[in-house]
Amino acid sequence: MKTISILIPCFNEVLNVKPLSLEIINIFKDKLQEYDYEIIFIDNDSSDGTKDILRSLCNEYKKIKAIFNAKNYGQFNSPYYGMCQTTGDCTIMMCSDFQDPVELIPDFIKEWEKGFKIVSGIKASSKENKAVRLLRTVYYKLIRKMSDIEQIEHYTGFGLYDKSFIKIMSGLQDPIPFLRGIVAELGYKRTEIKYQQQKRRAGKTHNNLYTLYDAAMLSFTSYTKIGLRLATFSGFILSVLSGITGVIYIILKILYWERFQAGIAPILIAVLFLFSMQFLFIGILGEYIIFINKRIMNRPLVVEDERINF
């Protein structure tokens, strides 16, 4: 009998973890009786009572397991680490707030049984804020055009992964893994299932401007070179233009000494423009250095505080 692992990252989801668990259990009872399963929650140091609910669930259902992180290790490390702890023939990762439809689990498994190693859930539409949806769409298209690797649009990580791909993930030893980029780069025999993303059933989202920016920058610095190339090309072009402007200015000064009084304003404008460009590209370079520094330090993805039912 094949075993299906369901990996669910969570943080402060006290109202969602129990109903989600029961829905998954019912899916296996009603539609997937020929498969064994395990449900693994990896909790990113919740403070709202989620841990207590998970302990109760693990005590009642031995197929439910839990990993409690010693602290919050962010939106990328914890899910990735959890996937590498699964033991099933394949792993399905989904969020804990019901935005990823539980009813797609049988569809994922059906595609996997056809021979696909990765089945990606793609958000064809969403009930989220329309402005946020538009910004996400623009972001995905920009990254896709800028990256040497064809990125996957409207893909959050929700999907199925064969154990052979989980083994590849485990061997990467990347301290700041970006799952969506890794799937785009290393994923093989991949297919897609489109779905409508639902609204969060309970609680409130933990995403904010900073976490969204962090995700965007990790993708940008991991899978594009355009930031550094743009800085190089812009610096070269601006230096040439500055040189030409300087030569023209000197010639005009010599030829029209009495009449040529350009004043200090153009010089100030040029200096301010060049300084602003320098600060912009120093900032871009700094983003690359931040993630290079994290990879060089090679910290563990997470530190566990407790495991239950393993």
Side-chain angles (χ1 to χ4, degrees):
M1 181 180 287
K2 294 179 180 178
T3 300
I4 312 297
S5 296
I6 309 292
L7 187 278
I8 306 171
C10 59
F11 173 67
N12 288 347
E13 297 288 356
V14 67
L15 298 176
N16 289 321
V17 291
K18 185 170 183 177
L20 180 60
S21 300
L22 297 179
E23 284 203 21
I24 293 172
I25 290 170
N26 288 333
I27 285 283
F28 277 93
K29 281 183 178 179
D30 297 338
K31 298 181 179 180
L32 299 168
Q33 300 96 331
E34 67 273 29
Y35 296 96
D36 196 5
Y37 67 93
E38 63 175 4
I39 302 172
I40 301 177
F41 286 91
I42 181 161
D43 181 84
N44 223 358
D45 197 26
S46 293
S47 57
D48 66 342
T50 300
K51 292 180 183 179
D52 295 330
I53 299 295
L54 290 178
R55 286 191 178 95
S56 176
L57 285 168
C58 290
N59 185 55
E60 186 174 356
Y61 302 97
K62 295 307 177 183
K63 290 186 178 182
I64 296 181
K65 305 177 182 182
I67 298 173
F68 297 137
N69 294 341
K71 59 182 292 186
N72 191 322
Y73 292 97
Q75 59 180 321
F76 304 117
N77 287 24
S78 186
Y80 193 95
Y81 178 81
M83 292 177 70
C84 294
Q85 308 310 305
T86 59
T87 60
D89 295 286
C90 68
T91 296
I92 296 174
M93 187 180 76
M94 61 195 311
C95 64
S96 55
D97 56 10
F98 286 95
Q99 287 190 295
D100 298 335
V102 176
E103 57 269 21
L104 282 185
I105 290 175
D107 297 332
F108 285 152
I109 294 173
K110 186 182 295 183
E111 294 300 312
W112 173 60
E113 290 288 15
K114 292 178 182 177
F116 291 105
K117 301 298 182 183
I118 299 173
V119 186
S120 302
I122 304 297
K123 292 188 293 181
S125 60
S126 175
K127 293 184 178 180
E128 66 182 342
N129 183 283
K130 291 183 178 180
V132 174
R133 170 78 178 181
L134 176 62
L135 288 174
R136 289 185 192 276
T137 300
V138 171
Y139 159 73
Y140 283 125
K141 290 190 180 298
L142 284 174
I143 290 294
R144 188 169 186 172
K145 287 185 178 295
M146 291 187 296
S147 177
D148 295 333
I149 298 163
E150 187 174 354
Q151 299 296 309
I152 308 167
E153 294 186 35
H154 293 292
Y155 167 58
T156 61
F158 173 46
L160 178 147
Y161 306 85
D162 185 79
K163 65 178 180 181
S164 60
F165 188 74
I166 297 293
K167 185 177 180 180
I168 291 172
M169 291 172 53
S170 301
L172 291 180
Q173 296 182 339
D174 187 345
I176 46 171
F178 186 61
L179 178 62
R180 285 169 270 177
I182 291 169
V183 171
E185 181 181 9
L186 303 177
Y188 59 100
K189 293 184 180 180
R190 189 181 69 86
T191 189
E192 299 178 354
I193 292 180
K194 295 183 178 180
Y195 70 100
Q196 182 184 53
Q197 186 184 49
Q198 303 299 308
K199 287 186 176 180
R200 166 182 279 274
R201 183 175 293 188
K204 63 179 183 178
T205 181
H206 308 297
N207 282 327
N208 52 43
L209 183 61
Y210 178 80
T211 59
L212 293 174
Y213 175 81
D214 197 40
M217 281 296 104
L218 180 55
S219 174
F220 182 80
T221 56
S222 297
Y223 291 97
T224 72
K225 303 173 185 175
I226 193 168
L228 298 175
R229 295 282 167 81
L230 187 62
T232 302
F233 294 151
S234 298
F236 174 75
I237 292 169
L238 287 173
S239 65
V240 170
L241 291 176
S242 299
I244 293 172
T245 303
V247 171
I248 293 173
Y249 183 83
I250 292 171
I251 292 173
L252 291 174
K253 267 290 192 182
I254 293 172
L255 296 179
Y256 306 100
W257 179 262
E258 297 295 333
R259 287 180 293 171
F260 186 72
Q261 299 294 332
I264 197 172
I267 297 174
L268 284 176
I269 292 170
V271 169
L272 290 173
F273 174 73
L274 290 173
F275 268 110
S276 65
M277 292 296 290
Q278 281 184 328
F279 284 125
L280 170 65
F281 291 123
I282 287 172
I284 292 174
L285 184 60
E287 293 289 349
Y288 280 93
I289 292 172
I290 286 171
F291 291 110
I292 290 171
N293 185 51
K294 287 183 178 179
R295 287 189 166 96
I296 289 173
M297 289 192 294
N298 198 28
R299 297 283 197 268
L301 288 173
V302 307
V303 175
E304 290 186 27
D305 181 46
E306 183 183 356
R307 279 189 176 211
I308 303 176
N309 283 349
F310 278 83

